[in-house]
Amino acid sequence: MVNGRCPAARRWLCAVILGLGAAAQVDAGAAADLILTGGRVRTEDPGRPLAEAIAVKDGVIIRVGSASEVAEHRGPDTAVVELAGRVVLPGLADAHVHPVQGEFFHHRLCDVRAFTVAEGFEKLRRCAVSAPAGDWVVGYGWYDLDNAEFDSLTRAQLDALVPDRNMAVVSRDLHTLWVNSRTLAEFGIWRDTPAPAGGQIVRDPATHEPTGMLIDAAAHPVFQRIQYHSPYAAPLRDILRGALHHLNSLGITSILDAAADEETARAYAELDRSGELTARVTLAELVLPDNYRTEIPRIAALRRSLAGRHVAVGFVKV
């Protein structure tokens, strides 16, 4: 449950609780902003595993108990949700999630998930027909664990699928990108281009020419262009709103965003300041072997500048 409402898809579950270990100490009878009552509250307290109602003030639980006990905190402006026997659980914490990428790849890009190369190719051809106006055709969903033949695609095969525009397919695990010759040229990836630290440019063993398969850091510049500067791009705040709505619908109220760049961190902070952030967010900033000496001080400064009520830069992703 978020902002006092139970998601329609989870009527049996109201996961509003951001921390149910113990209620805050407040003045007896202090008026709550929100009361949930008439439900089955799973407290995770062995001494009192079940309760009937909860009172919340300023985003903090101030009372957990019976309906009559919690009613002491009802004031003239208190919002009251009648649970009618529904269950309230502590909010779930996801310790490794990629909300921006998940929302962007699943809802902005063309779905080319397939268990055969032929099916994947056919889906990408259809994507080329329906792609937004511009110079990109981008799909999401090929995966070598679905079919190992995806690891053996040639640049000629990729060029034949989309010869006249930049083309990219993002793997389901986000570690691999397949691109055509036009995309390789635009990003200056040639026969003698060295692979970046933490990445791989897959090459034909006979010619040493790039096959069109980029792994990890070698794919990052292309990812960035697609996400922020292509016809598929969308404002980060909109992407985060969609991602958080989905996470909240599953009862998730606390996350570790495991690879947030500075722009994403600032978007979270803006949502927090505007009161739109519906989860507690800890961020891990990406650090690569060739930039850690400059990135660590930058991340430390970012951590200080963005510290907020519900957002913290707490980790690096190596």
Side-chain angles (χ1 to χ4, degrees):
M1 175 177 161
V2 180
N3 295 334
R5 298 180 182 178
C6 294
R10 293 288 185 274
R11 290 297 183 189
W12 56 272
L13 168 66
C14 290
V16 299
I17 311 308
L18 300 184
L20 239 181
Q25 297 297 314
V26 297
D27 294 337
D33 300 322
L34 171 68
I35 286 177
L36 310 178
T37 189
R40 291 174 293 158
V41 180
R42 303 284 184 177
T43 68
E44 302 302 318
D45 179 356
R48 190 177 188 178
L50 286 175
E52 190 178 10
I54 298 171
V56 180
K57 183 176 178 61
D58 295 329
V60 176
I61 298 166
I62 60 173
R63 192 75 177 269
V64 178
S66 68
S68 60
E69 290 171 336
V70 172
E72 297 174 6
H73 297 277
R74 182 167 181 170
D77 298 320
T78 301
V80 178
V81 175
E82 296 289 346
L83 296 172
R86 286 171 293 186
V87 173
V88 179
L89 297 176
L92 304 176
D94 192 322
H96 187 125
V97 65
H98 300 284
V100 172
Q101 292 87 345
E103 180 71 13
F104 183 77
F105 295 146
H106 280 284
H107 296 139
R108 298 290 300 178
L109 303 186
C110 191
D111 184 356
V112 295
R113 286 175 290 182
F115 287 101
T116 68
V117 169
E119 181 188 9
F121 282 4
E122 179 56 31
K123 286 187 174 182
L124 188 59
R125 291 188 189 97
R126 292 201 296 267
C127 289
V129 174
S130 62
D135 56 354
W136 280 94
V137 175
V138 186
Y140 165 79
W142 292 353
Y143 194 32
D144 59 359
L145 294 185
D146 291 335
N147 191 317
E149 292 180 16
F150 284 117
D151 281 346
S152 301
L153 300 183
T154 67
R155 187 162 22 139
Q157 289 175 297
L158 299 171
D159 289 346
L161 294 169
V162 182
D164 57 345
R165 285 170 285 175
N166 293 330
M167 183 277 289
V169 174
V170 182
S171 67
R172 277 206 297 119
D173 66 357
L174 312 186
H175 287 283
T176 301
L177 194 67
W178 291 266
V179 300
N180 62 0
S181 291
R182 179 166 172 160
T183 304
L184 289 171
E186 179 153 331
F187 285 84
I189 300 173
W190 310 103
R191 186 177 186 273
D192 298 323
T193 302
Q200 180 184 358
I201 300 170
V202 178
R203 303 178 190 277
D204 183 292
T207 67
H208 301 291
E209 292 286 345
T211 65
M213 189 173 174
L214 307 175
I215 297 175
D216 289 332
H220 290 170
V222 187
F223 280 143
Q224 293 287 312
R225 177 80 64 82
I226 293 167
Q227 185 171 328
Y228 297 122
H229 305 291
S230 80
Y232 295 87
L236 259 177
R237 288 179 61 165
D238 291 346
I239 291 174
L240 286 175
R241 287 188 190 100
L244 290 167
H245 176 77
H246 175 67
L247 291 168
N248 294 156
S249 76
L250 303 175
I252 296 170
T253 58
S254 180
I255 63 171
L256 169 63
D257 188 323
D261 58 20
E262 183 168 338
E263 192 168 355
T264 300
R266 295 192 182 282
Y268 276 120
E270 290 169 7
L271 289 177
D272 193 18
R273 286 193 293 268
S274 67
E276 299 175 81
L277 190 63
T278 56
R280 299 186 186 276
V281 178
T282 302
L283 305 173
E285 293 278 313
L286 185 64
V287 173
L288 298 174
D290 61 349
N291 68 11
Y292 72 94
R293 293 183 185 278
T294 56
E295 284 299 280
I296 294 298
R298 182 192 65 80
I299 292 168
L302 183 68
R303 179 180 186 178
R304 291 189 294 270
S305 68
L306 291 189
R309 185 174 182 183
H310 302 110
V311 177
V313 178
F315 300 90
V316 296
K317 182 182 180 76
V318 179

